[in-house]
Amino acid sequence: MATPSGRSVLFVCLGNICRSPIAEAVFRKMATDNGAVDKWRIDSAATSTYEIGNPPDHRGQACMKRHGVSMRHIARQVTKDDFMTFDHILCMDESNLRDLNKKASSVKNSKAKIELLGSYDPEKQLIIQDPYYVSVHTCTQQDQPQSLVFLLPNAQSKWQKAQK
């Protein structure tokens, strides 16, 4: 269920073991560090069923641990209820966006605004590439998408304007 102030966000990628749980964890840490975590409902999910029940990819977990970001998530698929209870669903690429828009069209009371997470990136890097298939994964501060850095402070004002 969305928070009364309308601050709920669901991050979505294909399998919910790489990009979306990282986005969820980083956003939760940023909200916590800014004293706003209790004002947000934050979660992540998959468009596919490939990884349901699995923890985040070990490389992503190791990267987040090195940055002091805790990750506690079990992969799940987006549900019809998500479209009715989340205010914002932010996905990683165009394939996710197509899948989500298709699923949302079958939900009678869908209220979620579906966008690319990259739309919050000041450099407009719209697509967040899937790191799953990269054989050598190095963990740097750049692994945290700029869109997340700008999402928290800009989300409240942007989303409040959209609700008017």
Side-chain angles (χ1 to χ4, degrees), residues 13 22 39 42 77 93 96 132:
C13 69
I22 288 172
K39 297 176 182 166
I42 307 164
Q77 188 176 30
D93 61 37
N96 303 151
Y132 184 79

Side-chain angles (χ1 to χ4, degrees), residues 24-56:
E24 174 192 354
V26 170
F27 190 78
R28 186 178 313 283
K29 180 171 185 342
M30 291 170 53
T32 299
D33 292 350
N34 284 287
V37 73
D38 59 337
K39 297 176 182 166
W40 286 90
R41 177 178 173 221
I42 307 164
D43 198 0
S44 65
T47 57
S48 73
T49 59
Y50 303 140
E51 300 288 346
I52 290 175
N54 290 331

Side-chain angles (χ1 to χ4, degrees), residues 12-15 19-20 46-48 89-103 114-116 128:
V12 177
C13 69
L14 179 65
R19 296 171 291 175
S20 58
T47 57
S48 73
I89 298 178
L90 301 176
C91 60
M92 306 299 151
D93 61 37
E94 288 149 342
S95 177
N96 303 151
L97 189 61
R98 275 190 307 276
D99 290 345
L100 289 167
N101 282 323
K102 183 177 179 183
K103 287 181 183 189
I114 303 166
E115 301 176 281
L116 289 168
I128 298 176

Side-chain angles (χ1 to χ4, degrees), residues 13 15-22 24 44 46 50-62 71-76 132:
C13 69
N16 194 216
I17 61 165
C18 290
R19 296 171 291 175
S20 58
I22 288 172
E24 174 192 354
S44 65
Y50 303 140
E51 300 288 346
I52 290 175
N54 290 331
D57 183 83
H58 66 92
R59 296 165 295 178
Q61 287 188 56
M71 278 180 97
R72 289 183 296 274
H73 186 79
I74 299 298
R76 70 176 187 87
Y132 184 79

Side-chain angles (χ1 to χ4, degrees), residues 5-162:
S5 61
R7 294 182 182 157
S8 59
V9 61
L10 179 68
F11 296 100
V12 177
C13 69
L14 179 65
N16 194 216
I17 61 165
C18 290
R19 296 171 291 175
S20 58
I22 288 172
E24 174 192 354
V26 170
F27 190 78
R28 186 178 313 283
K29 180 171 185 342
M30 291 170 53
T32 299
D33 292 350
N34 284 287
V37 73
D38 59 337
K39 297 176 182 166
W40 286 90
R41 177 178 173 221
I42 307 164
D43 198 0
S44 65
T47 57
S48 73
T49 59
Y50 303 140
E51 300 288 346
I52 290 175
N54 290 331
D57 183 83
H58 66 92
R59 296 165 295 178
Q61 287 188 56
C63 178
M64 293 296 98
K65 186 175 182 178
R66 285 193 291 276
H67 287 295
V69 178
S70 68
M71 278 180 97
R72 289 183 296 274
H73 186 79
I74 299 298
R76 70 176 187 87
Q77 188 176 30
V78 173
T79 66
K80 287 185 175 188
D81 190 52
D82 290 332
F83 294 99
M84 296 182 289
T85 60
F86 278 95
D87 297 302
H88 303 278
I89 298 178
L90 301 176
C91 60
M92 306 299 151
D93 61 37
E94 288 149 342
S95 177
N96 303 151
L97 189 61
R98 275 190 307 276
D99 290 345
L100 289 167
N101 282 323
K102 183 177 179 183
K103 287 181 183 189
S105 69
S106 70
V107 177
K108 190 174 185 175
N109 297 318
S110 178
K111 70 170 194 152
K113 182 170 183 175
I114 303 166
E115 301 176 281
L116 289 168
L117 174 58
S119 69
Y120 289 87
D121 188 329
E123 296 177 14
K124 296 299 177 201
Q125 183 179 337
L126 293 177
I127 305 305
I128 298 176
Q129 299 298 324
D130 193 341
Y132 184 79
Y133 299 103
V134 177
S135 59
V136 179
H137 183 77
T138 58
C139 180
T140 67
Q141 195 65 25
Q142 285 72 37
D143 288 337
Q144 299 177 14
Q146 283 296 314
S147 46
L148 283 171
V149 174
F150 287 90
L151 177 59
L152 183 62
N154 294 324
Q156 183 175 355
S157 62
K158 181 177 178 176
W159 292 343
Q160 283 177 343
K161 288 177 189 174

